[in-house]
Amino acid sequence: AQSVTQLDSHVSVSEGTPVLLRCNYSSSYSPSLFWYVQHPNKGLQLLLKYTSAATLVKGINGFEAEFKKSETSFHLTKPSAHMSDAAEYFCVVSFSGYSTLTFGKGTMLLVSP
Amino acid sequence: GAGVSQSPSNKVTEKGKDVELRCDPISGHTALYWYRQSLGQGLEFLIYFQGNSAPDKSGLPSDRFSAERTGESVSTLTIQRTQQEDSAVYLCASSLGATLGTDTQYFGPGTRLTVL
């Protein structure tokens, strides 16, 4: 069975400081991994995805994530937070040939001036 | 181009009533998915449609839930005899359907259902 654990329910940073949102997954097979962002009262937007190509994945708005198989991790980072980054972030896992996406519980990112 | 749209954006109903939620996928997307997002359960997969194949209904929580899709267009999710625990945001997503599991899914804004 596959599962996703987002290690922090809330992360608070100051504007201009780095962002780290942690995600660990559990699976028996090579997964595809995604990060989605959800702004208040908006739909989910794809930030980036990993599908067995380069392990360092660059996404939109300056975000990137690194797939580390040995650590079963797919942490999301950004060098410098912006106020507009405040939102909820979801780490998601899926497998080729299967329809189901498994979502983490989400991490709320709070950015203070 | 237009994204995934859902209607209504908000729905308030009384316990025991039936509700229909609508999803318009992105044109050309053969795959369509329904999810439920609630405070206690996070985001849960409900059902998946791919072209004319039989849908994957493995995530539907009870037989009060059903969904239809005509060809590769609009889908409706129906909840019969609604219960208070059905209160949630219902999200629809679509994808090209080319590579199941690795396709990017594009999400609609959701329908917030409140059962009184």
Side-chain angles (χ1 to χ4, degrees):
Chain A
Q2 59 192 39
S3 66
V4 176
T5 303
Q6 292 184 243
L7 297 160
D8 306 292
S9 59
H10 291 79
V11 170
S12 294
V13 300
S14 299
E15 191 174 22
T17 64
V19 175
L20 170 63
L21 305 183
R22 298 182 293 167
C23 172
N24 286 92
Y25 69 92
S26 171
S27 79
S28 303
Y29 306 99
S30 295
S32 293
L33 292 156
F34 307 78
W35 276 99
Y36 280 86
V37 61
Q38 188 175 35
H39 287 91
N41 300 315
K42 298 288 176 98
L44 288 156
Q45 180 185 19
L46 179 72
L47 276 179
L48 49 82
K49 70 176 183 181
Y50 165 79
T51 56
S52 77
T55 57
L56 181 62
V57 182
K58 293 189 184 297
I60 61 171
N61 300 335
F63 285 94
E64 63 181 37
E66 186 171 7
F67 173 69
K68 292 187 177 180
K69 186 174 181 179
S70 60
E71 299 176 9
T72 60
S73 69
F74 191 58
H75 301 335
L76 182 70
T77 60
K78 182 174 180 178
S80 176
H82 192 274
M83 295 295 290
S84 60
D85 295 328
E88 190 161 22
Y89 292 78
F90 293 91
C91 183
V92 184
V93 64
S94 73
F95 299 99
S96 179
Y98 291 87
S99 57
T100 307
L101 290 182
T102 301
F103 284 77
K105 297 291 188 185
T107 298
M108 186 67 70
L109 177 64
L110 307 170
V111 183
S112 57
Chain B
V4 177
S5 61
Q6 293 184 246
S7 61
S9 55
N10 280 284
K11 176 72 176 179
V12 180
T13 190
E14 294 179 347
K15 179 181 172 181
K17 301 278 190 183
D18 297 352
V19 295
E20 267 193 8
L21 312 180
R22 176 187 168 108
C23 172
D24 279 277
I26 293 172
S27 177
H29 281 192
T30 63
L32 186 147
Y33 313 76
W34 283 98
Y35 296 87
R36 179 169 69 175
Q37 186 176 24
S38 54
L39 279 176
Q41 301 297 324
L43 261 151
E44 304 169 275
F45 164 78
L46 296 178
I47 188 168
Y48 158 71
F49 295 90
Q50 171 62 56
N52 295 317
S53 302
D56 175 357
K57 304 179 182 180
S58 60
L60 294 179
S62 79
D63 59 8
R64 297 186 295 103
F65 287 72
S66 63
E68 292 183 348
R69 187 184 188 194
T70 306
E72 296 180 355
S73 60
V74 171
S75 175
T76 55
L77 176 69
T78 301
I79 309 173
Q80 295 179 309
R81 305 181 303 281
T82 52
Q83 304 294 311
Q84 287 182 332
E85 61 262 29
D86 299 334
S87 296
V89 176
Y90 290 82
L91 293 168
C92 176
S94 70
S95 73
L96 283 169
T99 311
L100 186 62
T102 60
D103 269 359
T104 296
Q105 295 186 22
Y106 296 86
F107 284 80
T111 294
R112 182 176 298 278
L113 175 65
T114 304
V115 182
L116 302 177

